[in-house]
């Protein structure tokens, strides 16, 4: 499905709010604040738009991700990610060095992604 840009909108208002919530949550767990980088923003924006037509995880090298979708403004995706053990583990990865959140609104639904840049050199192999 090819989307016309008049049919969808990036919800940067919510994305920025979610980024603040995620960093505050990480700090509450004794982890550092993550920088929001252009690379992570580009990845998150690309993935959020892809979710509209192909709702599945992407195995892009260098990024971990959490995804979600639902009726616009029904619930907070960050709360749902924190409640889920596997999504929560992604938010709290020690190896995460940067991130960004993106949300696309399309036909009354929101498609959200948090893309976390992972430093694989920090893993013990």
């Amino acid at each position: 499905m090819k989307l016309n840009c008049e049919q969808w909108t990036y919800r940067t208002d919510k994305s920025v709010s979610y980024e603040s919530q995620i960093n505050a949550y990480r700090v509450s767990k004794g982890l550092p604040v993550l920088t929001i980088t252009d690379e992570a923003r580009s990845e998150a924006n690309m993935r959020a738009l892809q979710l509209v037509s192909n709702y599945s995880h992407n195995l892009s090298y260098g990024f971990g991700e959490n995804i979600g979708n639902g009726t616009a403004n029904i619930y907070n995706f960050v709360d749902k990610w924190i409640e889920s053990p596997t999504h929560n583990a992604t938010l709290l990865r020690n190896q995460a060095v940067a991130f960004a959140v993106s949300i696309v609104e399309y036909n009354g639904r929101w498609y959200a992604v948090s893309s976390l840049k992972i430093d694989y050199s920090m893993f013990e192999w």
Side-chain angles (χ1 to χ4, degrees), residues 38-53:
D38 290 342
E39 178 187 26
R41 173 76 63 220
S42 177
E43 175 73 12
N45 284 342
M46 177 192 68
R47 287 292 299 129
L49 193 53
Q50 287 174 345
L51 293 175
V52 173
S53 60

Side-chain angles (χ1 to χ4, degrees), residues 2-105:
K2 185 173 181 178
L3 301 176
N4 182 320
C5 65
E6 296 170 0
Q7 298 173 320
W8 56 269
T9 305
Y10 283 119
R11 292 301 309 257
T12 54
D13 56 331
K14 287 293 184 178
S15 298
V16 169
S17 172
Y18 286 2
E19 289 163 347
S20 295
Q21 290 175 50
I22 289 169
N23 267 329
Y25 178 62
R26 285 179 56 85
V27 167
S28 78
K29 298 298 183 182
L31 295 169
V33 166
L34 294 175
T35 302
I36 299 160
T37 64
D38 290 342
E39 178 187 26
R41 173 76 63 220
S42 177
E43 175 73 12
N45 284 342
M46 177 192 68
R47 287 292 299 129
L49 193 53
Q50 287 174 345
L51 293 175
V52 173
S53 60
N54 183 16
Y55 188 78
S56 64
H57 281 285
N58 182 19
L59 300 176
S60 64
Y61 178 76
F63 284 89
E65 69 179 15
N66 287 327
I67 62 175
N69 79 77
T71 305
N73 214 17
I74 288 294
Y75 61 83
N76 184 322
F77 289 105
V78 175
D79 290 342
K80 297 299 181 185
W81 291 332
I82 289 170
E83 292 170 7
S84 163
T86 55
H87 293 91
N88 187 54
T90 300
L91 294 176
L92 299 178
R93 288 182 80 164
N94 288 326
Q95 301 85 1
V97 294
F99 87 117
V101 174
S102 185
I103 301 167
V104 167
E105 183 174 2

